[in-house]
Amino acid sequence: MAMITLLLLPLLALADPRLLGMPLTPAEATFIAKQNDRTRIHLESVDVKLRKAIETRAQELAPKNAPTRVNFFGADFEMKSGSLVRSTDGKTFVPASFLPTDAKIAAFRISPDQTKVAFGYSLYGSDWQTWQVLDLAAQKIISPAFTFKGFGGPGISWLPNSKSFLYSSGLSIQEDFRGRRAPQVRLHTLGQKNERVIFENFESPENTRWAALALSDTNAIVFRVQGAAVIPAAAFFVDLTTGAATAAIEPNRYLGNVPGHGLVGERDGKAYLRSAKAGDGFGIYVAGEKAPLIPAENGNVLYQAQLLGDKILTQYISSRLEIEFRLYDLKGKRVASMRPADFGFTNIGHPSLPLSDGDKTSTAASFTYSSTGQPPVTFRVDLTKNKFERLPDTGSINFSDSKLIFENVRYPSFDGKMTEMLLVRRSDQKGPAPFAYLYSYGFIGVPNLSQWNRKFQLALELGGVVAIPYVRGGGEFGASFQLAGTQKRENTFQDLVFASRWLKANKKAERVAAVGRSFGGLTGAVHYVHHQADFDLISAIVPVTDWKKHFAGAGWWMGDDFGIRRNAAGKATA
C-alpha cells in the first residue's frame, strides 16, 4: 500500500504563511516546521523508483489546453514569458521587467482612452495584489502602488475620464492582521496625492468588504463581496461628488454565493446583479428594477454570470449536475447555448468562466472545461456572432475516460437528510477498491464538481475510487442548500463523515482517505481532531487550523464561511 500512501501525501499539510499575510508566533512556526519534517520523512521512506514513477506520470498528465485570453477593445490579451501581450499583434503592454522576481500578473484593466493600463501582481500565488498604473506610450509607472487582497471584485474600476479610478479597502497586511475594521472605497486621481473616501462600510464594519464599479464620472455602484451569500445582500448607488449612498437592491436577500458573482456588470449606467431574490436557483436583476431580467429556474442553478460586450455569459448547473453555458442579450433573451456534449464531452464537469475579465469593449471570451475523465479544453465564444468554438490543444494526454465508470449515489447523513456523491472508478475494478480518494473543496457556495485534478487520475490508475461529495454548504443546488451548511457547519462535517461510512458499508472501498484543500482542508483538520475513526488517512491541504485567530486577523472577512450568524441588520451575533 506504499504507493497509495505516497499518492495521498502527508497526514497534515500546512499553508505557507505568505499566502495569508499573517505573521507567525514562534510556537506556530515550530509546529509547522515539525509537521513539514514529518511530511519529508514520510516521502523519503517511500521507494524512490515508485516516487519518481508517480512524479513522472503526474507531469505527463499536466493540462495541454490552449491558453485562455482576456478580450478588451476587441483584442485578445494573454501572458507570455511573464509579460502581458496583445495576442493579435504581439505588442507588449506590461513587460515582465516591471514585476518583482517571482511575481505574476493577476489582473489588469485598460483605461477607456487606451493610453494606460492598471495591472495587479501577486507573489507566490498570494491573495494579496499590488496594483500600479503604466503609461503605455512613455512605458512609465505613473501611480503609487496599491496593495489589497484580491477578493473576486474588479480590483480597480476606471472612470470614463481615464484620469481617475476606484479601488477597494487599501488596508496593509499589517493593518488587516491587527483587525482594523474599516474597509473603504476610495477615489484616486492620477497626479494627485490626496484621495477621497467615497464609501465606508457603515452597515457591518466587522465582517464584510466591498468593491466598486464606476457607472459614470459622477456615479458608481458599490457592492458587497466575500460573505455575500450569507449576510443580507447589499448594493448601493454612490454619488462620487457628495458620497451620498442609496440602496440599489432590497436588503435581506442574497447577492451571490461566490466572491465577485453578485455583480454581473454594468451598461449605460445600469448595474446587473445576480440574486436569489429571483428564486433559490438565482436570477439576474437590473438594480432598481422590480422584475428580474432573467428569472430563476426550477431545477437549474445560475452559478456564474458575466456581462461582456453586449451579452451576458452564464453557467448553469442542473439538478443532475450537468453544465450548460448560455448567452443572453441585454433584454434577457437567450441567443445561444452550449453543452459540453455538443463537442463530444460529458456534461458533468468543471467549467471556469472569465469572472471579472472583460468589459463593455469585449467582443469575445474564453474559458476552460474539464472532468475527471477529460483533460481541460479551452472554449472561445464570439460575442458578435453568438458562436462557441473549441480551441485546439497544444498537445495530447494519454488518458481515456472510456475505461471509467461514473456513478451518482445518494446516502443518508446523520440527520436522515439524503446527500449525493459522484463516484468514479475503473471499469476493470472488481469488488471494493483498495482505497477511496474522498475529495472536498469549498462548501462556501463553490460547487465541488467532477474535474481534471491530476491526483484524481493518479488515484484511479493506482486502483482507487474517486469520491466527490456534494455536501451542504456547496453551490451545487442553490441558496438554501448552501445556507444549510454555512449557517450550520456541523451539517457539512457530518455529511463528509457519513460519506466515508457509506463507502465502507457499501463495499465501495476498503479504506477512505479524506483529502481537502482550503476550506476542505479545514474540514480535514476537524476530522483529524474529532473523527479519526472514520478515516484511514487525512490530508488537510492549506487549512485554517485556528479559525478564531484567523477570523480576528487577516481572515475577518471570511466569518460567514465559518458559520458566523447575523441579525437582520447584518451584525454578527454568534
Side-chain angles (χ1 to χ4, degrees):
M1 302 303 293
M3 57 183 174
I4 295 171
T5 304
L6 172 64
L7 174 66
L8 296 177
L9 297 179
L11 185 65
L12 186 62
L14 298 176
D16 183 331
R18 291 174 299 188
L19 296 178
L20 297 177
M22 297 175 65
L24 297 174
T25 66
E28 290 168 337
T30 299
F31 175 74
I32 287 178
K34 286 183 177 179
Q35 301 309 314
N36 290 339
D37 285 343
R38 290 180 63 194
T39 297
R40 280 187 284 270
I41 292 171
H42 169 71
L43 290 175
E44 291 169 359
S45 69
V46 179
D47 181 79
V48 175
K49 290 184 178 179
L50 175 61
R51 189 169 68 219
K52 290 293 185 183
I54 291 181
E55 290 174 352
T56 299
R57 182 57 175 150
Q59 298 226 343
E60 293 173 351
L61 293 169
K64 295 179 175 62
N65 56 302
T68 57
R69 296 170 176 173
V70 181
N71 189 284
F72 287 106
F73 297 99
D76 287 346
F77 292 81
E78 62 183 301
M79 298 302 301
K80 283 188 176 180
S81 302
S83 298
L84 176 64
V85 176
R86 188 163 59 192
S87 310
T88 49
D89 58 6
K91 178 182 177 180
T92 297
F93 269 57
V94 180
S97 58
F98 280 93
L99 307 179
T101 303
D102 296 324
K104 293 184 178 180
I105 293 178
F108 69 97
R109 291 289 179 271
I110 298 173
S111 64
D113 64 5
Q114 303 185 57
T115 64
K116 297 172 281 289
V117 58
F119 63 95
Y121 63 82
S122 62
L123 287 164
Y124 314 112
S126 171
D127 291 337
W128 289 92
Q129 296 176 4
T130 298
W131 282 75
Q132 293 181 297
V133 177
L134 175 69
D135 184 300
L136 292 173
Q139 284 292 287
K140 179 182 177 181
I141 299 295
I142 58 173
S143 77
F146 305 88
T147 300
F148 48 82
K149 186 169 292 186
F151 46 81
I156 76 165
S157 178
W158 285 101
L159 271 61
N161 62 24
S162 294
K163 299 177 182 178
S164 305
F165 56 80
L166 302 168
Y167 73 100
S168 178
S169 186
L171 303 185
S172 69
I173 293 174
Q174 291 75 22
E175 286 175 324
D176 203 20
F177 177 70
R178 287 199 301 269
R180 177 176 172 178
R181 300 291 187 268
Q184 300 170 332
V185 174
R186 296 177 177 141
L187 175 66
H188 179 86
T189 298
L190 294 171
Q192 295 185 9
K193 292 184 179 181
N194 296 328
E195 298 178 335
R196 286 199 300 111
V197 174
I198 61 102
F199 185 87
E200 287 193 74
N201 184 359
F202 60 86
E203 183 188 30
S204 180
E206 74 274 18
N207 277 66
T208 56
R209 62 171 53 222
W210 302 78
L213 191 64
L215 302 177
S216 68
D217 285 335
T218 57
N219 290 282
I221 185 167
V222 176
F223 58 100
R224 181 184 283 141
V225 292
Q226 288 288 16
V230 178
I231 53 181
F236 294 90
F237 290 120
V238 178
D239 186 310
L240 299 181
T241 303
T242 65
T246 56
I249 190 171
E250 298 93 326
N252 300 313
R253 300 304 303 172
Y254 306 114
L255 269 179
N257 61 2
V258 176
H261 292 200
L263 184 73
V264 177
E266 69 83 20
R267 289 296 177 273
D268 301 323
K270 297 180 178 180
Y272 293 70
L273 302 164
R274 173 181 174 275
S275 173
K277 169 187 171 184
D280 203 56
F282 299 96
I284 294 178
Y285 273 82
V286 176
E289 297 186 5
K290 294 184 178 180
L293 179 72
I294 301 176
E297 299 180 5
N298 292 328
N300 290 318
V301 173
L302 172 59
Y303 174 57
Q304 294 179 338
Q306 179 76 23
L307 184 49
L308 300 164
D310 60 354
K311 302 294 190 309
I312 303 173
L313 178 59
T314 64
Q315 172 201 318
Y316 282 84
I317 304 175
S318 76
S319 58
R320 298 177 61 186
L321 282 304
E322 293 184 331
I323 303 299
E324 182 181 19
F325 302 95
R326 302 179 189 172
L327 270 184
Y328 290 87
D329 64 21
L330 298 189
K331 295 182 178 180
K333 178 183 177 182
R334 191 195 308 193
V335 296
S337 299
M338 187 275 279
R339 293 173 178 265
D342 298 338
F343 291 85
F345 307 124
T346 174
N347 287 328
I348 300 177
H350 182 81
S352 178
L353 286 184
L355 290 178
S356 297
D357 287 334
D359 60 14
K360 66 182 67 177
T361 69
S362 302
T363 58
S366 60
F367 56 93
T368 61
Y369 180 81
S370 73
S371 73
T372 304
Q374 170 60 49
V377 294
T378 303
F379 289 97
R380 188 175 192 271
V381 55
D382 187 317
L383 300 171
T384 61
K385 298 179 180 179
N386 302 330
K387 182 180 179 181
F388 292 86
E389 65 174 330
R390 178 192 172 182
L391 300 181
D393 297 334
T394 60
S396 61
I397 297 177
N398 182 20
F399 189 91
S400 175
D401 64 355
S402 63
K403 298 180 180 179
L404 300 179
I405 294 177
F406 294 77
E407 180 184 10
N408 208 55
V409 300
R410 290 169 59 83
Y411 66 92
S413 190
F414 74 104
D415 55 0
K417 296 286 187 181
M418 297 303 294
T419 307
E420 296 190 38
M421 177 165 51
L422 175 66
L423 303 181
V424 186
R425 60 184 174 87
R426 287 167 28 178
S427 58
D428 60 355
Q429 186 78 48
K430 305 300 180 184
F435 70 97
Y437 190 95
L438 182 67
Y439 180 75
S440 58
Y441 174 79
F443 310 138
I444 53 175
V446 180
N448 190 33
L449 300 172
S450 172
Q451 61 186 273
W452 186 261
N453 178 329
R454 284 179 281 177
K455 297 184 184 72
F456 289 5
Q457 289 71 47
L458 288 167
L460 291 166
E461 292 184 345
L462 289 167
V465 58
V466 172
I468 304 173
Y470 310 128
V471 306
R472 282 171 281 188
E476 295 88 354
F477 302 113
S480 297
F481 184 78
Q482 178 192 340
L483 295 174
T486 55
Q487 292 186 340
K488 188 178 181 182
R489 272 301 170 201
E490 187 64 19
N491 289 343
T492 302
F493 302 140
Q494 291 292 348
D495 285 354
L496 289 166
V497 168
F498 276 72
S500 178
R501 294 179 184 178
W502 186 92
L503 287 166
K504 293 180 180 179
N506 288 270
K507 302 188 183 303
K508 299 296 184 179
E510 296 173 356
R511 297 192 283 180
V512 175
V515 184
R517 181 176 181 83
S518 189
F519 195 91
L522 180 139
T523 63
V526 169
H527 298 324
Y528 183 69
V529 174
H530 297 288
H531 307 117
Q532 286 193 16
D534 290 296
F535 302 96
D536 300 280
L537 190 145
I538 297 171
S539 180
I541 305 169
V542 291
V544 173
T545 51
D546 186 340
W547 77 266
K548 289 186 177 180
K549 176 180 178 180
H550 190 55
F551 180 62
W556 57 267
W557 42 267
M558 296 172 62
D560 298 303
D561 299 339
F562 292 91
I564 298 298
R565 294 184 177 87
R566 301 177 180 277
N567 60 22
K571 290 283 187 180
T573 59

